[in-house]
Amino acid sequence: MKGLFLWGTVMVLIGIGICFFAARYMGFSLESLKASDFTEKTYEVNESFDSISTNTSIESVSFVLSEDGRCRVRCMENDKLGHEITVTDGTLIIKSLDKKKDILSFDLYTHSPEMFIELPEKEYRQLTAKTDTGDIVVSLRSVGSLDVSGDTADVSVFTPVKGNVRISLTTGDVYLRAMTAGSIDVTTTTGKIGIVNVKTAGGITANVDTGETLLEKVDCGNLMSDGDTGDIVLDGVTASGSFSIIRSTGDVKFIGSDAASISVKTSTGDVTGTLLTGKVFLAKSDTGKVDIPKTAAGGRCEITTDTGRIKIEIAKQP
């Protein structure tokens, strides 16, 4: 048994040595590990369409307005990665193609190849984007509905959406800014959520397992946020309906925010900040100090934490 252990140790050291000398030979540059270089290719799209569907792998995809009113797809390709662009039943369909899917190969890219989908300035009925590890940026005039899903990717949206916004990620940040929407549903397992200067008549759902959440200058119907580990900050957020916030480990902070009714539950975390109007407070902390306004009018505000303090104030009216 000792001989096997010694042999295994020797093999590991030999492997480390090989990697070290290989890195020295390449000048410790990850760029040297690229199997093949990319070249830019442009696809012109002349057919008419009102919806867009993309299914990409490692590309960072940006949906942008075309400067000349024509549609084209500019992307990077090599001997392993290609693309298929078609228009079917009024939908522009873009897919990544693995040219050597039957060949066992490994590539390490230090930067994701970029793809720019240049679109005429008009409203599109639906935009659906799926990605494995590439980021998604949407900056268009208007979209009827937006559905984005990915494994390891960051998603940024700066586009008004008349209907529903749905974003679902395994690992990655989500950033929504300067937009309107019918409703918003964002879920990321590991990542941050930022929703800034956004207005929606419907509800906002922002769920995260591990990561911080920030909502700033937001006007919505209802807000629901469920998370395991991570703080949430509401800065200038108003809801005509309710706030419903749940955190296992994380602080909850209100900065000049308000809703008709508020419910906050945390296991380990403080609940602090300022609300705009008085409430009927029901607050409880098992091990922390509770400091709430002595108001008896307004909507219901129920705050419960196991380990954490509660301190809420009512903002002074000008």
Side-chain angles (χ1 to χ4, degrees), residues 193-261:
I193 297 176
I195 303 176
V196 178
N197 194 14
V198 171
K199 185 175 182 179
T200 170
I204 294 178
T205 301
N207 294 334
V208 59
D209 284 351
T210 303
E212 300 174 351
T213 302
L214 168 67
L215 290 95
E216 182 179 350
K217 297 180 181 179
V218 172
D219 187 359
C220 63
N222 298 297
L223 169 64
M224 298 179 60
S225 182
D226 195 342
D228 288 338
T229 304
D231 300 339
I232 178 171
V233 176
L234 276 63
D235 185 352
V237 179
T238 58
S240 58
S242 63
F243 291 160
S244 177
I245 300 171
I246 300 175
R247 285 295 183 275
S248 294
T249 303
D251 297 334
V252 179
K253 185 172 184 178
F254 299 103
I255 304 174
S257 298
D258 213 348
S261 63

Side-chain angles (χ1 to χ4, degrees), residues 53-208:
S53 176
T54 65
N55 191 342
T56 54
S57 55
I58 62 173
E59 304 93 320
S60 292
V61 180
S62 296
F63 299 86
V64 298
L65 292 176
S66 171
E67 294 182 357
D68 59 5
R70 302 190 63 176
C71 176
R72 63 177 61 87
V73 178
R74 294 190 293 111
C75 53
M76 306 301 291
E77 297 186 349
N78 61 9
D79 59 345
K80 296 178 178 62
L81 177 66
H83 299 91
E84 179 182 77
I85 291 110
T86 59
V87 175
T88 303
D89 297 329
T91 300
L92 173 64
I93 302 173
I94 301 171
K95 297 180 181 179
S96 295
L97 296 178
D98 186 354
K99 295 180 180 180
K100 294 187 177 181
K101 60 184 177 181
D102 296 327
I103 300 177
L104 182 61
S105 62
F106 173 77
D107 281 343
L108 175 62
Y109 300 111
T110 57
H111 302 286
S112 297
E114 292 184 324
M115 172 185 287
F116 292 92
I117 302 174
E118 301 178 1
L119 298 161
E121 185 173 357
K122 69 174 187 178
E123 179 182 326
Y124 293 92
R125 183 173 58 85
Q126 184 178 36
L127 194 160
T128 302
K130 297 180 180 180
T131 179
D132 290 337
T133 61
D135 298 340
I136 301 290
V137 176
V138 182
S139 182
L140 300 174
R141 193 188 79 175
S142 179
V143 173
S145 65
L146 176 65
D147 191 331
V148 180
S149 58
D151 289 335
T152 303
D154 295 337
V155 176
S156 301
V157 181
F158 312 95
T159 300
V161 180
K162 287 191 173 182
N164 300 328
V165 174
R166 178 186 173 274
I167 301 174
S168 178
L169 303 177
T170 302
T171 302
D173 301 336
V174 178
Y175 185 50
L176 311 180
R177 183 181 179 89
M179 57 176 289
T180 58
S183 64
I184 296 173
D185 187 345
V186 175
T187 300
T188 179
T189 303
T190 304
K192 300 178 182 179
I193 297 176
I195 303 176
V196 178
N197 194 14
V198 171
K199 185 175 182 179
T200 170
I204 294 178
T205 301
N207 294 334
V208 59

Side-chain angles (χ1 to χ4, degrees), residues 290-306:
V290 177
D291 185 358
I292 57 175
K294 294 179 173 59
T295 56
R300 181 186 180 96
C301 180
E302 184 173 1
I303 303 173
T304 304
T305 178
D306 294 334

Side-chain angles (χ1 to χ4, degrees), residues 14-25:
I14 291 173
I16 293 173
I18 292 173
C19 292
F20 175 79
F21 286 109
R24 283 196 62 184
Y25 176 77

